[in-house]
Amino acid sequence: MALNLIKLCVGCDSVEDLEEWIAFRLDERRRAGEPVEQYHTTRMVPTRRDELLDGGSLYWVIKGSVQCRQRLVDIRPFVDDEGISRCHLVLDPAVVRTGWQPRRAFQGWRYLKAPDAPADLGAGQAGLAEMPAKLRQELAELGLL
């Protein structure tokens, strides 16, 4: 059974914001002649690497609810210019929308077991993904999503 990570998506107000940011960063890397891959830098290195890379994802908490995920491709520890150990969580750039799951704020990332993760939105829920972000947020705040 795959193990996942969960993290706050700071600075994004919606899944659309995250998708736009990913596209922007990939385009930047392409223009700079760098490898075109998406990663998130974090300070702590996950110790359960093999479990995470066996089909795990990074679930993003946006505005107080898990709303989407990205598949983990690799985990690359490194030391930055200031001598601080950090980690690149290499992610599949495709964002998969999930059912909304309320989450309180926390720092860093946490492990998320597969049974506790929200399910991906199915074909019958495509209308939810197409709904304007503000409306989705209001419905979630009312407990209707």
Side-chain angles (χ1 to χ4, degrees):
M1 185 178 320
L3 183 65
N4 304 292
L5 294 175
I6 185 168
K7 184 162 183 15
L8 299 181
C9 192
V10 179
C12 287
D13 291 330
S14 66
V15 176
E16 292 82 4
D17 282 351
L18 176 61
E19 291 170 329
E20 288 172 14
W21 183 85
I22 292 168
F24 175 78
R25 292 291 293 146
L26 290 175
D27 189 48
E28 263 187 342
R29 293 182 66 78
R30 190 175 295 110
R31 285 185 277 126
E34 298 173 355
V36 182
E37 62 182 10
Q38 196 233 332
Y39 58 83
H40 179 76
T41 304
T42 184
R43 184 154 182 240
M44 302 302 293
V45 179
T47 57
R48 299 171 71 180
R49 182 182 195 279
D50 292 341
E51 291 173 87
L52 291 166
L53 295 179
D54 187 24
S57 292
L58 175 62
Y59 283 78
W60 290 109
V61 177
I62 301 173
K63 293 293 185 184
S65 293
V66 175
Q67 297 183 32
C68 61
R69 69 175 179 87
Q70 289 180 273
R71 188 177 55 82
L72 283 162
V73 175
D74 199 4
I75 297 171
R76 298 182 190 147
F78 69 99
V79 176
D80 70 11
D81 296 337
E82 297 173 2
I84 299 171
S85 294
R86 298 200 183 273
C87 177
H88 283 154
L89 302 174
V90 183
L91 304 166
D92 183 325
V95 176
V96 178
R97 293 167 190 261
T98 65
W100 284 36
Q101 187 180 76
R103 289 289 175 146
R104 291 189 176 168
F106 57 91
Q107 290 189 333
W109 52 261
R110 302 284 184 269
Y111 290 113
L112 178 65
K113 295 179 182 174
D116 299 329
D120 294 350
L121 289 183
Q125 298 166 314
L128 181 61
E130 295 169 6
M131 197 179 293
K134 185 171 174 53
L135 179 57
R136 286 194 315 257
Q137 183 65 38
E138 289 174 5
L139 291 172
E141 288 170 2
L142 292 170
L144 299 174
L145 289 182

